[in-house]
Amino acid sequence: QLQASGGGLVQAGESLRLSCAASGRTFSGYGMTWIRQALGKDREFVACIWYTTSRTYYRNIEKDRFTISLDKTESTVHLHLNSLKPEDTAVYYCAASRDGCTADLTSYDVWGRGTQVTVSS
C-alpha cells in the first residue's frame, strides 16, 4: 500500500528525491511521514505532510535541507533531500498514521518497505 523508491548512493552535497506511492485505500486524514533508520540506531521522524491539508512538519535540523511534498493526482509523497551529508545515510521508510503528523512512531499503522540512502564523504 506504500511503496518507497528513489534511494541510492550519492556524494556529500548532492541531492536525491525519494517517492512514496500510496495505493489500495484512501489516506485522507492521515499523516504521511518519512522515517529513517541508520545502522545500529533507532528509527527517527524526518518529515510529515497531512494528506488532506498538505500542511508539513519537519525535524528541526532537517528543515533547511529537506522538503516534503504531496502529489494528490499521483497519490505520491516526495521527499527532496538536498545538501546531503554522510550522517544522512540510512534506510528511509514512508509510513502513514491516522493520528496525523505524530512523532510517536508506534502510531504509524501503515508502512512501506524502506529505500536505502547512502552518502559518501
Side-chain angles (χ1 to χ4, degrees):
Q1 291 178 332
L2 295 177
Q3 181 66 49
S5 62
L9 171 63
V10 297
Q11 293 186 336
E14 293 184 339
S15 300
L16 280 173
R17 187 184 77 163
L18 307 183
S19 298
C20 175
S23 64
R25 62 189 291 177
T26 178
F27 287 93
S28 179
Y30 276 68
M32 308 296 291
T33 300
W34 285 96
I35 294 160
R36 70 185 182 185
Q37 186 170 25
L39 191 63
K41 297 188 177 181
D42 293 334
R43 289 182 176 180
E44 60 182 11
F45 177 103
V46 176
C48 179
I49 187 165
W50 277 87
Y51 198 93
T52 304
T53 65
S54 296
R55 187 171 179 178
T56 59
Y57 298 85
Y58 297 89
R59 253 167 52 98
N60 286 336
I61 62 174
E62 271 79 33
K63 191 171 184 178
D64 292 335
R65 298 189 298 122
F66 298 171
T67 302
I68 190 169
S69 62
L70 170 63
D71 182 345
K72 286 188 177 179
T73 63
E74 297 290 333
S75 297
T76 300
V77 178
H78 298 291
L79 182 67
H80 302 259
L81 309 173
N82 300 310
S83 302
L84 281 162
K85 303 175 182 179
E87 51 264 43
D88 295 319
T89 295
V91 177
Y92 285 70
Y93 299 90
C94 59
S97 172
R98 293 184 181 91
D99 293 336
C101 290
T102 174
D104 178 2
L105 302 187
T106 65
S107 297
Y108 287 88
D109 52 348
V110 184
W111 288 80
R113 287 189 173 183
T115 185
Q116 176 72 47
V117 172
T118 303
V119 185
S120 63
S121 58

